[in-house]
Each structure stands twice: as structure tokens, then as C-alpha cells.
């Protein structure tokens, strides 16, 4: 199997070879022929499966024929980071086609975006809010639009963009090809698909479960010990780059600041940062200036970096779908990765739900040499964690056992990226809160 089987325009094939693409991913293999045939499509696949190229390549091929300097393809994305990354991918794949793409999103000066639109971009990659704003100013012309792509549709829903998407769709030509991509398919997205897709073909890859190249582990810990455990874990683990998820903007900033003071090359990413600081954090993480990035869910959406070796859930996500999205940042582009999750006593039910989706128990681990009995400072939870539960008292010791999680765990022997990347584990001197396994 190779990209030659799609019979793409020679300038696009040349770019594919230059980039180094050789074998299409499953989502590309199944969707590209259908898109080339002009069919509406609903693609279900997790982050990191090659969705961008799956729609970008056939779009570029189609636009090689027909008029230029008119908006003919619109791609909607939930975040400015994702919009910028799709735009960059299109520029790379279409570098020899002379087709122009422009990224449209808020938080930056709109004047350069308007200028690029007026210069005649054939492809627009946009966040819904800024696109509506520019259309209201008569800066966008949809009359020649042929293709609409809605990427990360479930994230759009989570971020409250569905009303904006419906508003945009009403302004587009009724006769068009529409492609919708999503990692999950909640009811509201299915309703949207029924509204905007015409006799769609559905392609599903992975059946809504995390990619198989990711290995999972749970680290039981009390809330006030999370940051200390995080630093100890990273110090003792062979990592390439680490994406850490925290629940709130404040906690993201605080954990990153504590790690920076401890000497870690770390940056934070959360919604209150300016666009320039957000971009600096992402670029620094991508080029290796920062080994660790601490981020909230919303801020991390759209991060497309293939060399993330570890995702660490400092805070448990709210849902199984959110867990799937988080860990989809590792194990990408046929590489392997690890997903570590810090679990407090209150997280047992969600861990059980994640295990049901995975179809197997997740290995529980403890870290050798880490003091799990350290007390919380009086009056508050420290080390970046939430307030220490009042039932234990401000100076209480860690409870002897966590409430038992559903089921027992058997170790998962997942693939390794390189070397002995498994963290040290020990059963000695620590009453395990969950079932675990001992390191060899």
C-alpha cells in the first residue's frame, strides 16, 4: 500500500514523497478514495491517526482543477492551535500546487487575515467565532465554496460551538461536499450530521478506543502529594517529552511554577495566556526547549506533536472520552507511548469506566522511594493539588488504604518507546491502595 494508489496530482505526490509519507494510515486508506469521489463523509477516528492528511490531500487534488483566488474549501477547527496546524499541514502538502491557505482565529489582529482573504486564498481554516465576525464585516465570500470540513466535531460541541457551526452552515451554498471528523459521536453530533450531511458514508477506525500503541498505568496518590510524585516520577523515567494535564488554569500555572523552581524545563499552557505566549509555549515544547508542558484540556486541544512520549493525567479527566482525547497525544505516527494517571480515592469509579472501554484492567503502580505517608501542611492542600479532604484533618497521615477500585488489576505489558521507560515500583514498606504488580 502506498499513496500512489490514490492517483493524486503529481505535485501533491511529490510533496508526499518529500515529507516522507510512505504507507497510508487506516483512516487515510479508507477516506481518501471516498472524498475523491465527492461523497459526504463522517469519519470517526482518534487523535493521532492521520485525519488532517486524510482530508487535506483530496481537497488539494480537487482544487487543482477549477478557478483560483476564490474561497473553495472551508475547514472549521475548535482551537486556534489546531487551525494553525491544519493550515501549516496544507501549506506543506500543497507547497508545489500554488494553492493558498489562510488561518482565521481570534485573539490576534484581524487586519492581516482580512488582507490574505482579499488576496485570494482558496482554502480557509477557521475557528467559528472569528469567521462569523469577518463574514459579518463582508470580508469573506462563500459563493464559490465547494467543500466544508468540520474537524474535531465533538470538541466543538464541548466548547459550545454548535450554534456557531449551524449559523455558518446556513450561510454556505447548499450544494457542496461536507466532511465531518470526530473522535466520538455523542447525540448532538449525530443530530448535526443528519442536518448537514447528504447521504454520508461513515468510516470508523479504532471503535472509539485509545490507540493500541499506548500503554496505561494508574498511580494511586493522595491529592496533596501529586506534584511531589510528578517530579519524582519524571526524574526516574526515561522520557522524550511529557504532556501533563491539570484540571484548572490556576493549578496548571502553579504546578509548572513549582517544577520550574525545582529545575525542570517546563512551560504551562492555559486559556488566560496571550496568543504570543501560547505559541511560544507550544513551539518551545515542539522544538525541545521545554521537556514538559503542563496544560488544561481546552488549551491542549489541537496540539499536534508526534514525539510526545508520555501523557500524565495529574488530575483525572471528567469523562472517559476526555481520557481518550488526552492520551491520544502520545503513541502517534506509529510510535509507542505511555499514559500515566494519578488517581485519588474519589476517582475509582471513573478508572473502572476507563477499564471497561479499554477491555482490560489497568496496572496499578507505586514509586519506590517515594513517601506516600507525608502529611499535608496545615490549612490547605499544597504541591499543586486540591484542598486536602477535611475528613483526614489538616495534619493527618495518609489513610491506610484507599477505597478499593472496581475489579483487580493485572499488569499490562504495552510497547516501549525506547529503553527501560517503566517507572520503578515496589510493594515493600507501603500498604498498596490498589492491586499492583512488582517491578522485576
Amino acid at each position: 500500500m502506498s499513496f500512489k494508489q490514490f492517483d493524486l496530482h503529481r505535485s501533491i505526490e511529490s510533496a508526499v514523497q518529500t515529507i516522507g509519507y510512505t504507507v497510508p494510515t487506516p483512516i487515510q486508506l479508507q477516506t481518501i478514495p471516498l472524498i475523491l469521489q465527492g461523497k459526504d463523509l463522517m469519519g470517526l477516528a482518534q487523535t493521532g491517526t492521520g485525519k488532517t492528511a486524510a482530508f487535506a490531500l483530496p481537497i488539494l487534488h480537487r482544487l487543482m482543477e477549477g478557478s483560483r483566488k476564490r474561497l473553495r474549501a472551508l475547514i472549521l477547527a475548535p482551537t486556534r492551535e489546531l487551525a494553525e496546524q491544519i493550515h501549516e499541514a496544507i501549506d506543506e502538502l500543497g507547497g508545489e500546487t500554488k494553492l493558498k491557505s489562510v488561518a482565521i482565529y481570534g485573539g490576534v489582529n484581524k487586519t492581516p487575515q482580512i488582507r490574505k482573504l482579499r488576496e485570494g486564498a482558496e482554502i480557509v481554516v477557521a475557528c467559528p467565532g472569528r469567521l462569523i465576525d469577518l463574514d459579518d464585516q463582508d470580508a469573506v465570500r462563500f459563493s464559490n465554496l465547494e467543500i466544508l470540513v468540520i474537524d474535531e466535531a465533538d470538541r466543538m460541541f464541548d466548547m459550545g460551538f454548535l450554534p456557531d457551526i449551524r449559523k455558518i452552515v446556513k450561510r454556505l451554498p447548499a450544494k457542496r461536499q461536507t466532511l465531518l471528523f470526530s473522535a466520538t459521536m455523542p447525540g448532538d453530533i449525530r443530530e448535526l450530521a443528519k442536518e448537514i450531511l447528504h447521504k454520508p458514508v461513515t468510516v470508523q477506525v479504532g471503535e472509539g478506543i485509545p490507540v493500541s500503541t499506548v500503554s496505561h498505568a494508574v498511580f494511586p496518590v493522595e491529592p496533596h502529594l501529586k506534584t511531589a510524585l510528578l517530579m519524582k516520577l519524571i526524574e526516574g523515567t526515561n522520557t522524550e517529552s511529557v504532556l501533563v494535564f491539570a484540571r484548572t488554569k490556576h493549578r496548571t500555572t502553579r504546578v509548572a511554577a513549582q517544577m520550574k523552581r525545582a529545575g525542570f524545563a517546563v512551560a504551562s499552557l492555559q486559556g488566560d495566556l496571550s496568543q504570543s505566549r501560547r505559541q511560544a509555549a507550544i513551539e518551545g515544547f515542539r522544538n525541545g526547549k521545554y521537556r514538559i508542558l503542563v496544560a488544561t484540556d481546552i488549551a491542549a486541544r489541537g496540539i499536534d506533536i508526534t514525539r510526545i512520549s508520555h501523557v500524565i493525567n495529574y488530575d483525572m479527566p471528567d469523562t472517559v472520552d476526555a481520557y481518550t482525547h488526552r492520551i491520544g497525544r502520545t503513541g502517534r505516527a506509529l510510535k509507542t507511548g505511555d499514559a500515566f494517571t494519578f488517581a485519588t480515592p474519589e476517582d475509582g469509579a471513573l478508572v473502572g469506566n476507563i477499564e471497561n472501554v479499554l477491555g482490560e484492567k489497568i496496572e496499578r503502580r507505586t514509586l519506590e522511594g517515594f513517601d506516600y505517608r507525608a502529611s499535608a501542611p496545615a490549612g490547605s492542600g499544597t504541591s499543586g493539588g486540591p484542598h486536602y479532604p477535611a475528613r483526614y484533618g489538616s495534619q493527618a497521615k495518609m489513610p491506610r488504604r484507599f477505597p478499593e477500585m472496581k475489579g483487580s488489576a493485572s499488569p499490562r505489558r504495552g510497547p516501549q518507546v525506547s529503553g527501560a521507560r517503566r517507572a520503578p515500583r515496589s510493594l515493600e514498606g507501603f500498604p498498596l491502595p490498589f492491586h499492583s504488580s512488582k517491578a522485576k
Side-chain angles (χ1 to χ4, degrees):
M1 294 289 184
S2 73
F3 283 90
K4 289 186 177 296
Q5 67 187 295
F6 301 129
D7 197 23
L8 298 169
H9 191 279
R10 61 181 179 277
S11 61
I12 301 171
E13 274 195 3
S14 175
V16 167
Q17 292 175 0
T18 300
I19 294 169
Y21 288 175
T22 53
V23 180
T25 67
I27 190 69
Q28 293 164 358
L29 191 62
Q30 295 183 54
T31 59
I32 289 176
L34 295 170
I35 299 172
L36 289 172
Q37 294 170 29
K39 296 182 181 294
D40 282 13
L41 182 139
M42 183 161 59
L44 302 176
Q46 297 299 327
T47 300
T49 53
K51 287 185 290 182
T52 300
F55 60 74
L57 289 171
I59 286 175
L60 289 167
H61 177 83
R62 174 170 175 167
L63 298 189
M64 291 301 294
E65 300 292 334
S67 59
R68 296 289 181 108
K69 294 188 178 297
R70 297 177 182 179
L71 172 56
R72 297 172 60 195
L74 171 63
I75 302 165
L76 298 179
T79 66
R80 45 195 169 185
E81 286 79 21
L82 181 57
E84 192 65 45
Q85 288 166 17
I86 294 172
H87 163 66
E88 291 173 358
I90 289 172
D91 275 356
E92 192 173 21
L93 292 168
E96 300 180 25
T97 66
K98 297 184 180 180
L99 291 165
K100 293 182 180 179
S101 169
V102 58
I104 303 294
Y105 48 80
V108 296
N109 189 342
K110 66 180 71 173
T111 302
Q113 298 175 354
I114 293 174
R115 183 177 65 252
K116 290 179 181 178
L117 286 169
R118 288 175 176 166
E119 288 173 353
E122 290 84 11
I123 304 169
V124 168
V125 188
C127 294
R130 173 56 64 89
L131 182 66
I132 291 174
D133 181 24
L134 294 185
D135 186 43
D136 288 342
Q137 296 180 41
D138 203 28
V140 188
R141 293 278 193 272
F142 294 128
S143 56
N144 294 288
L145 191 79
E146 301 171 29
I147 308 170
L148 169 66
V149 180
I150 300 176
D151 196 17
E152 300 280 0
D154 48 356
R155 298 300 96 188
M156 293 275 202
F157 170 69
D158 290 345
M159 298 173 71
F161 282 136
L162 250 60
D164 284 347
I165 292 174
R166 288 190 168 98
K167 185 181 295 186
I168 290 169
V169 168
K170 289 179 180 178
R171 304 181 185 190
L172 305 181
K175 186 179 180 180
R176 64 174 188 274
Q177 182 180 15
T178 305
L179 315 173
L180 185 150
F181 288 87
S182 187
T184 59
M185 191 54 57
D188 291 275
I189 300 301
R190 289 193 181 278
E191 288 302 315
L192 177 67
K194 291 179 182 178
E195 293 174 24
I196 67 174
L197 300 178
H198 177 67
K199 296 181 180 179
V201 178
T202 300
V203 174
Q204 183 166 357
V205 175
E207 299 181 354
I209 65 174
V211 290
S212 59
T213 51
V214 178
S215 182
H216 310 257
V218 167
F219 288 79
V221 64
E222 283 289 357
H224 71 287
L225 295 173
K226 284 184 176 181
T227 301
L229 179 62
L230 177 65
M231 290 191 282
K232 184 85 171 178
L233 178 61
I234 292 176
E235 283 179 344
T237 306
N238 181 16
T239 64
E240 187 172 358
S241 57
V242 184
L243 178 57
V244 179
F245 282 99
R247 183 170 293 125
T248 65
K249 299 175 185 177
H250 176 67
R251 192 171 303 164
T252 297
T253 303
R254 183 170 60 183
V255 171
Q258 290 173 323
M259 296 187 75
K260 186 176 181 179
R261 287 195 295 269
F264 290 88
V266 60
S268 64
L269 186 66
Q270 42 88 3
D272 287 341
L273 296 179
S274 66
Q275 177 63 13
S276 60
R277 291 180 64 190
R278 288 164 63 97
Q279 205 61 40
I282 293 173
E283 285 303 315
F285 188 52
R286 179 181 284 116
N287 63 32
K289 178 181 179 181
Y290 304 117
R291 178 186 169 199
I292 304 157
L293 184 66
V294 186
T296 59
D297 282 291
I298 290 178
R301 287 169 187 162
I303 291 179
D304 186 13
I305 300 171
T306 58
R307 64 177 185 82
I308 296 174
S309 62
H310 290 70
V311 167
I312 299 179
N313 293 309
Y314 180 96
D315 291 318
M316 181 71 75
D318 294 330
T319 65
V320 176
D321 284 346
Y323 178 86
T324 298
H325 275 281
R326 285 183 178 185
I327 69 168
R329 270 73 183 189
T330 189
R332 306 185 71 166
L334 303 181
K335 295 183 179 180
T336 56
D338 285 309
F340 296 158
T341 299
F342 292 174
T344 67
E346 290 77 17
D347 296 326
L350 185 53
V351 171
N353 291 339
I354 292 169
E355 290 175 326
N356 288 337
V357 171
L358 293 175
E360 62 185 7
K361 297 298 179 183
I362 302 175
E363 179 185 3
R364 274 63 161 174
R365 300 185 192 171
T366 56
L367 201 60
E368 185 176 359
F370 183 76
D371 184 7
Y372 286 91
R373 294 184 178 278
S375 301
S380 65
T382 59
S383 298
H387 193 285
Y388 199 65
R391 65 180 180 276
Y392 299 141
S394 61
Q395 294 287 345
K397 296 288 186 182
M398 174 179 168
R400 183 163 181 80
R401 291 186 68 85
F402 284 60
E404 192 66 54
M405 281 191 177
K406 182 179 179 182
S408 60
S410 58
R412 172 186 172 124
R413 300 301 179 194
Q416 306 278 323
V417 171
S418 63
R421 285 180 32 214
R422 294 294 186 193
R425 289 170 281 154
S426 174
L427 300 181
E428 299 176 1
F430 179 67
L432 286 179
F434 305 119
H435 297 288
S436 184
S437 58
K438 189 172 182 178
K440 294 181 180 179

